[in-house]
Amino acid sequence: MASPSMTLSIAFAVLLLAGLVVRLWLANRQARHVWRHREQVPAAFAGTVSAEAHRKAAGYTIARLRLGIVEAAVDTAVLLGWTLLGGLDALNQALLAWLGPGMTQQLALLGAFALIGAVPSLLLGWWSTFRIEARFGFNRMSMRLWLADLLKGTAVATVVGLPIAALVLWLMGSAGPWWWLWAWGAWMGFNLLLLVLYPTFIAPLFNKFEPLTDETVKARVQALMQRCGFAAKGLFVMDGSRRSAHANAYFTGFGAAKRVVFFDTLLRQLEPGEIDAVLAHELGHFKRRHILQRLVLMFALSLAGFALLGWLSGQSWFFTGLGATPSLAASNDALALILFLLLAPVATFFLSPLLAQLSRRHEFEADAYASEQANGHELASALLKLYQDNASTLTPDPLYARFYYSHPPASERLARLLPSPGTA
Ligand SMILES: [Zn+2]
């Protein structure tokens, strides 16, 4: 009979490899599908999308997929290195020998794990920005700005992350068998606090936010928000063009601190009516309670996660099955926390299509709301411009889109916004 520890090792390895195989297989399908359709603009877009833009989108999509394949391979290697190959265990032993048991060692373990784990994603991020985004004309960042972002991001992560990490570790160590419920409460409170603090204190560290001054756009947007019964603290323009040519608009904060943020790139690319429609779509996410649903879902999932961690952290096979040795003389809480963080994405990878599907349903609902409150044709033309400017492919592989896409493919969205396209 296999021991629980051995069973966990095997299940983890199988899930990890199965996840890798599916990721590579889907990426390959998507690349081939996009490549096969690169010369032919789909009929529904024939009048609006040029052959050149369509080919560019294909090239860009495939370049990003190639990076995704490297990323999948690196992820898998890193996960194996931390767990079954003993990387995390070695780090933990080294820090125990150096610092001795205690909160300092626990926090050092979390910090060292985060720093080492950041190296591969940094390299991939650098490649993405200065190779791929630059090659397709999207990148606006200098090396200097990229480094400044990196330093600021690390500083913010430390200032924000260290206290909550220390609080969770302290609860794990001293709040008794129900610690995970307390830790969950602390984690939720922390997330809500971040929602409030982010727009006012953190986002301005990275971007400039200025009140919207374009009177035409402002008047239209305010009329739209009044029509929809939506109160926001302000309308802001963000200098998204500092970093990228990609365009966007979003809501941030909640309660009385809600604000609407437009990327300057979006205001430049869209006509006032199209901006209205895009904003109405975003309002739709509020009015159809998608934001609330997502928040509740996140609360529920993290409760389940903490409960599971509460149980697993008391089982020695949980550690040994993932390549670590729990110490008898010191607390193993940080070790358990990290192993759980490594295990969770592997265990839940095959659930991602469910979340993607929920998200796509929400997008359709927000589109429908935008058609009622603004103009479906304007939304369609805005989406087309954004698809083109972002070089998003119009011809995704259907299976790939089902698995990953948080937004429905362009053809499906436009088909609903413009009844009977291409039949005229
Ligand atoms: Zn949306």
Side-chain angles (χ1 to χ4, degrees), residues 281-282 285 363 366 407 413:
H281 169 98
E282 298 298 331
H285 283 309
E363 293 307 325
H407 288 62
R413 285 181 83 176

Side-chain angles (χ1 to χ4, degrees), residues 78-92:
V78 166
L79 271 166
L80 270 179
W82 279 129
T83 56
L84 301 183
L85 298 178
L88 186 63
D89 194 53
L91 183 64
N92 186 41

Side-chain angles (χ1 to χ4, degrees), residues 247 266 269-270 278 382-392:
L266 185 91
Q269 284 161 12
L270 301 185
V278 168
L383 286 176
L384 262 176
K385 278 189 189 172
L386 293 176
Y387 269 98
Q388 275 204 70
D389 285 329
N390 290 325
S392 308

Side-chain angles (χ1 to χ4, degrees), residues 12-24 68-85 120 124 342 345-346 349:
F12 180 73
V14 167
L15 272 175
L16 187 61
L17 292 181
L20 177 65
V21 168
V22 169
R23 280 167 83 177
L24 297 182
I69 287 172
V70 175
E71 208 177 344
V74 170
D75 273 1
T76 308
V78 166
L79 271 166
L80 270 179
W82 279 129
T83 56
L84 301 183
L85 298 178
L124 289 167
L342 293 170
V346 177
F349 172 72

Side-chain angles (χ1 to χ4, degrees), residues 92-220:
N92 186 41
Q93 301 300 338
L95 288 172
L96 271 175
W98 181 35
L99 299 166
M103 184 56 105
T104 313
Q105 189 271 345
Q106 302 263 302
L107 286 173
L109 182 61
L110 280 180
F113 168 76
L115 278 181
I116 298 170
V119 173
S121 45
L122 261 180
L123 296 175
L124 289 167
W126 183 87
W127 190 269
S128 162
T129 304
F130 293 104
R131 286 289 181 267
I132 299 177
E133 296 292 304
R135 169 146 61 97
F136 289 89
F138 292 128
N139 180 43
R140 303 270 169 82
M141 260 201 270
S142 62
M143 197 58 207
R144 208 189 135 115
L145 179 59
W146 190 80
L147 283 173
D149 278 2
L150 178 62
L151 289 178
K152 274 191 260 179
T154 313
V156 170
T158 311
V159 169
V160 172
L162 215 52
I164 180 70
L167 178 59
V168 168
L169 286 172
W170 179 73
L171 287 169
M172 285 178 94
S174 42
W178 292 88
W179 70 263
W180 53 269
L181 203 55
W182 294 103
W184 174 72
W187 177 246
M188 289 300 100
F190 169 74
N191 272 288
L192 291 178
L193 189 68
L194 265 192
L195 274 181
V196 180
L197 296 184
Y198 180 82
T200 2
F201 294 102
I202 300 178
L205 294 174
F206 296 90
N207 281 97
K208 268 204 204 79
F209 292 83
E210 276 164 1
L212 177 68
T213 47
D214 185 318
E215 291 301 329
T216 328
V217 175
K218 208 164 142 184
R220 293 191 66 136

Side-chain angles (χ1 to χ4, degrees), residues 350-364:
F350 290 97
L351 296 179
S352 44
L354 290 179
L355 291 178
Q357 190 182 6
L358 178 69
S359 168
R360 289 195 301 270
R361 207 177 71 208
H362 285 171
E363 293 307 325
F364 277 135

